[in-house]
Amino acid sequence: MNHSDLDTMRKQLDELNHQLLDLLSRRAEIVQKIGHEKQRQGLPRFDPVRESMMLEDLVSRNQGPFDNTTVRYLFKQIFKASLDLLGEEQKKHLLVTRKQKPEDTVVRVKQVEIGGPSPVLFAGPCTIESYEQMRRIANQLQSKGISVLRGGAFKSRTSPYDFQGLGIEGIQILHQVGSEFGMVTVSEVMDVGDLGSIVDSIDIIEIGAKNMQNFSLLKAVGQLNKPVLLKRGPSATLEELLLSAEYIVSCGNDQVILMERGIRTYEKWTQNTLDISSVPILKKESHLPVLVDVSHSTGRKDIVTPCAKAALAAGADGIMVEIHPDPSIAMSDALQQLNFDEFHDFIEQLRVSGLYRPHTKM
Ligand code: PEP
Ligand code: MN
C-alpha cells in the first residue's frame, strides 16, 4: 500500500465521519420532534420497550466486523445522548424559571402579598398547643401589624415518641383564631389523605422540609387552588427544590412560595446551616417568592435577628420566625422560639435596620 492509498482511505474516513455526523444530527432532530409530540400528548419521554426493539433490530442486521455487544453499546450511547438532549431542553423550559416567566410571581392571600414590594413576616409557635396559646400569639402579632399566623398541627418529628401535634384539632384551633383575628394561616400537611379535611380551614399549606420530595403530596397540592409554602429539604440542592416546585406548578397550581430553612452540614453550633446564598440564587433562577425560616435554620434564638437581616439584605421576600408565650414549656423547638419581649426586640431591630419597612425590599 503506498502513500496515496493511505491518503485516499483517510479521505474516505473523513467523508464517512461527516456523513455519520450529519445522520446523527438528523436523527437528533427527529428525536426532538417525537419528544415534543410526546410532551403534548402527556406520554413519558423514555420508552424502554421501543429502545429494546430498536437495538434488537440493529443486532439482527449486524454483519460485522463489530460484534453484537459492541453494536448494542454504540447505539445505546446514541439513544442516551438523544434523551439527554431532550432533558436539557426540558430543563430550560421549567415553569418555575425566570427564563419561562421573567416577572415576579406575587402570591396574594386575603390582605397579604407575598413576593410583592414589601417583605412579609410569618410568625407563630412551632406547635399549636391550645386555643388560649394561639389567641395570645395572634393578639401579639396583631399589635405589631403582622397578619400571617403559622402553627404546626401535624408535626414531622424525628422521633415517633415525640409529641406529634394535635392533628385536626390543632387545625380547627388555628382556623378559629385566624378567623377571629382576620389573619392568614399557615400549617403543615404531611399526608395526602389529610388534605381534603383541612384544605378549607387553612390559607397556606406548608410542605415541610422532610416532605420536599414527597412527590404524591406535591402532585396533590398541585391540584389545589391554594398557596403552598414549600420548604427546602435538609439535604436538598437548589435544583432539587426547584424541581419539587415544578411538580406543583406543572399540575396547575402556580401559587408556590419557596422557603430556605437551612441545610445539614458538619457544623454543630447551629441546628442547620442557613444557606444565605440560596436567596439570591433562587431569586435569580425563579420568579417564585423566596422566604427564609430563621428559626429552623439556626435552632437558636440568640442569632435569629442578624440572620433575618442578612436574609432581607440578600433579597428575601420575607421571614418566618417561631414565637411562643412561654418557650420554656413549649411542646417542641423550645430553644429556638422567641418569647414576646424577644419578639418585640426582633421586630424593632428589623425596623431600625430599614430592611423591614413597607416598600423596602432590595
Ligand atoms: C415547621 O416549619 O414547622 C417545621 C417542622 O420545619 P421544617 O419542615 O423546616 O423542619
Ligand atoms: Mn419548629
Side-chain angles (χ1 to χ4, degrees):
M1 194 179 290
N2 59 32
H3 260 302
S4 86
D5 288 341
L6 204 57
D7 280 348
T8 309
M9 282 188 292
R10 280 182 170 153
K11 278 200 182 95
Q12 284 173 345
L13 216 51
D14 285 344
E15 181 56 31
L16 283 169
N17 281 344
H18 298 165
Q19 285 179 18
L20 271 175
L21 178 63
D22 190 39
L23 284 171
L24 285 172
S25 307
R26 278 165 52 197
R27 187 185 186 285
E29 278 165 15
I30 295 176
V31 169
Q32 278 175 319
K33 281 189 192 148
I34 293 175
H36 294 154
E37 186 52 27
K38 279 183 166 179
Q39 197 173 16
R40 204 183 62 76
Q41 293 187 30
L43 297 171
R45 220 170 17 162
F46 178 54
D47 182 347
V49 177
R50 164 89 184 128
E51 185 169 309
S52 155
M53 276 164 57
M54 286 194 292
L55 284 179
E56 289 322 304
D57 175 51
L58 289 161
V59 164
S60 72
R61 286 162 183 268
N62 182 24
Q63 315 231 321
F66 288 129
D67 62 23
N68 288 348
T69 309
T70 308
V71 168
R72 274 204 188 85
Y73 174 78
L74 287 173
F75 276 90
K76 184 81 196 153
Q77 298 312 305
I78 294 172
F79 297 170
K80 188 176 172 304
S82 305
L83 262 185
D84 289 350
L85 190 68
L86 284 183
E88 281 307 310
E89 239 186 44
Q90 222 170 40
K91 224 158 66 186
K92 270 189 233 147
H93 294 107
L94 285 185
L95 299 168
V96 297
T97 58
R98 282 228 187 252
K99 285 190 195 100
Q100 188 72 3
K101 178 178 177 254
E103 68 279 9
D104 286 345
T105 288
V106 179
V107 175
R108 293 184 175 84
V109 206
K110 295 182 180 160
Q111 70 278 31
V112 177
E113 270 191 2
I114 303 143
S118 321
V120 284
L121 211 59
F122 287 21
C126 181
T127 300
I128 299 163
E129 295 164 8
S130 69
Y131 172 71
E132 203 39 49
Q133 171 222 26
M134 292 307 286
R135 265 195 67 92
R136 288 180 66 189
I137 290 171
N139 208 20
Q140 181 66 210
L141 295 185
Q142 199 171 52
S143 72
K144 303 202 168 341
I146 294 160
S147 42
V148 186
L149 175 63
R150 66 142 280 145
F154 297 95
K155 296 302 300 177
S156 52
R157 305 306 298 278
T158 305
S159 165
Y161 303 113
D162 285 339
F163 179 58
Q164 302 286 303
L166 293 179
I168 283 289
E169 189 195 338
I171 296 289
Q172 284 161 354
I173 294 172
L174 181 63
H175 176 64
Q176 194 174 339
V177 174
S179 309
E180 279 172 39
F181 286 80
M183 294 185 130
V184 170
T185 55
V186 189
S187 203
E188 178 173 355
V189 179
M190 293 197 292
D191 196 317
V192 176
D194 291 325
L195 268 180
S197 52
I198 65 161
V199 71
D200 292 331
S201 305
I202 46 180
D203 299 310
I204 301 176
I205 293 176
E206 175 176 324
I207 304 287
K210 292 144 205 110
N211 266 314
M212 188 202 86
Q213 288 189 318
N214 180 339
F215 301 117
S216 323
L217 188 56
L218 299 177
K219 286 181 195 170
V221 297
Q223 311 286 332
L224 304 174
N225 178 20
K226 175 133 305 215
V228 176
L229 173 66
L230 177 65
K231 299 189 84 171
R232 180 182 185 182
S235 305
T237 64
L238 297 175
E239 186 181 17
E240 286 162 347
L241 171 62
L242 288 183
L243 285 168
S244 287
E246 185 75 11
Y247 263 91
I248 305 171
V249 176
S250 63
C251 287
N253 185 355
D254 60 358
Q255 303 171 76
V256 178
I257 304 155
L258 304 171
M259 185 171 274
E260 161 64 31
R261 49 78 74 201
I263 47 174
R264 182 167 281 200
T265 70
Y266 49 79
E267 181 52 62
K268 289 185 177 156
W269 287 356
T270 49
Q271 182 177 295
N272 290 290
T273 296
L274 170 56
D275 176 10
I276 207 75
S277 64
S278 70
V279 177
I281 293 174
L282 290 171
K283 290 300 296 176
K284 189 174 161 204
E285 294 293 326
S286 174
H287 50 82
L288 297 172
V290 177
L291 266 55
V292 172
D293 171 351
V294 290
S295 296
H296 293 95
S297 53
T298 60
R300 44 189 284 183
K301 61 167 87 183
D302 58 334
I303 58 168
V304 289
T305 305
C307 289
K309 285 186 200 168
L312 293 172
D317 296 292
I319 299 294
M320 181 153 96
V321 65
E322 286 189 338
I323 65 169
H324 193 285
D326 185 357
S328 65
I329 55 157
M331 304 290 279
S332 55
D333 286 349
L335 293 177
Q336 71 192 30
Q337 302 194 66
L338 303 179
N339 65 31
F340 292 167
D341 287 343
E342 290 160 343
F343 183 53
H344 176 82
D345 287 347
F346 173 78
I347 303 280
E348 277 316 299
Q349 288 193 48
L350 290 190
R351 284 215 171 100
V352 168
S353 74
L355 293 160
Y356 178 62
R357 260 190 250 129
H359 312 296
T360 56
K361 213 183 88 191
M362 298 181 81

